[in-house]
Amino acid sequence: MAPVQTAHHRILLKLSGEALMGDDAYGINHATIQRIVGEIAEVTRLGVELAVVIGGGNIFRGVAGGSVGMDRATADYMGMLATVMNALALADTMNKAGLTARVMSAIAIEQVVEPYVRPKALQYLEEGKVVVFAAGTGNPFFTTDTAAALRGAEIGADVVLKATKVDGVYTADPKKDPTATRYHRISFDEAMARNLGIMDATAFALCRDQKLPIKVFSIFKAGALRRVVLGEDEGTLVHV
């Protein structure tokens, strides 16, 4: 059978920790993570090389009450550890689903996961493995959005896919304004001028400088990830 023609060969998928919660208050919902992995498996079968950056909000939410008044850097390091927990859970679910996943951490926890080394990450991707980047950039004060932009640029991704709860970027909050319409595509400059808040400023500026497009779509919409990879009209494309 001839390979499916995809719009992107190598992608960086940015998943929030909250995407793993399902309807739970915090933590990891088993059915939700299995569904997300099913969507990822479908895309890898198309021959696409896939890396993932995952947040830690779902884990950190469970301890956030105790972090009130805590030093910001300390709280950020706790958040990094939460992303490692999510990455391990995601990789384990992938491996059980027949994928081969590797977790690489920006902070050294070598008894648990291997450290992030760019040439090794590229080798894994070329071998068809899914690489899950954990611990953000390894630095406090930088979000996992910035980690996604940074890792996406480093691995030469064609696009950063920002998976959210909303199926794209709208002219207004669609929950509050029924007349809000979805942008099919929008330039970085226009998005900044309209203050749309697609990613944090550091991540957004890095993607713009590296001419790395961002696609915003809903991970909760069945088949959306596949449609994005195939280049169909799904979500919002942010471009130079």
Side-chain angles (χ1 to χ4, degrees):
M1 187 171 65
V4 177
Q5 184 65 41
T6 60
H8 307 292
H9 172 64
R10 179 178 291 170
I11 62 177
L12 189 293
L13 175 63
K14 167 59 172 65
L15 277 176
S16 67
E18 287 81 356
L20 305 183
M21 294 194 311
D23 294 326
D24 299 340
Y26 58 86
I28 299 168
N29 181 281
H30 183 63
T32 299
I33 196 172
Q34 283 190 314
R35 182 188 58 76
I36 291 172
V37 166
E39 300 253 344
I40 289 172
E42 191 175 9
V43 165
T44 60
R45 284 194 291 268
L46 299 175
V48 173
E49 295 177 2
L50 177 69
V52 182
V53 167
I54 192 160
N58 60 315
I59 301 293
F60 194 67
R61 184 175 295 187
V63 296
S67 69
V68 175
M70 184 179 292
D71 177 78
R72 167 66 189 274
T74 300
D76 281 359
Y77 280 117
M78 290 172 66
M80 289 179 217
L81 294 175
T83 73
V84 174
M85 295 169 68
N86 278 338
L88 288 169
L90 188 63
D92 182 70
T93 307
M94 287 184 191
N95 289 326
K96 287 176 179 174
L99 297 171
T100 304
R102 293 288 184 268
V103 178
M104 306 189 88
S105 171
I107 55 177
I109 325 174
E110 293 187 34
Q111 293 92 336
V112 183
V113 292
E114 61 183 291
Y116 168 68
V117 179
R118 180 176 175 268
K120 193 70 174 176
L122 292 171
Q123 178 187 328
Y124 285 152
L125 290 169
E126 289 163 2
E127 292 171 351
K129 297 177 173 70
V130 179
V131 182
V132 185
F133 296 121
T137 66
N139 303 286
F141 308 106
F142 290 93
T143 68
T144 49
D145 273 356
T146 300
L150 177 62
R151 296 290 181 250
E154 285 183 300
I155 67 172
D158 300 316
V159 64
V160 171
L161 304 183
K162 183 172 171 66
T164 68
K165 295 180 180 179
V166 186
D167 65 341
V169 180
Y170 281 76
T171 53
D173 186 342
K175 293 181 179 179
K176 298 177 181 177
D177 185 354
T179 65
T181 57
R182 174 172 64 90
Y183 292 102
H184 296 275
R185 55 193 299 136
I186 188 171
S187 70
F188 281 100
D189 290 341
E190 187 179 356
M192 290 181 71
R194 294 179 182 274
N195 196 28
L196 294 175
I198 294 166
M199 278 185 164
D200 75 72
T202 304
F204 202 74
L206 179 55
C207 285
R208 184 182 64 171
D209 291 347
Q210 296 300 314
K211 297 180 173 55
L212 178 59
I214 304 166
K215 187 84 172 210
V216 182
F217 74 106
S218 172
I219 194 64
F220 297 99
K221 192 174 176 182
L225 179 58
R226 177 188 171 91
R227 289 191 293 275
V228 167
V229 169
L230 291 175
E232 297 179 18
D233 180 22
E234 184 71 49
T236 299
L237 178 68
V238 186
H239 60 93
V240 176

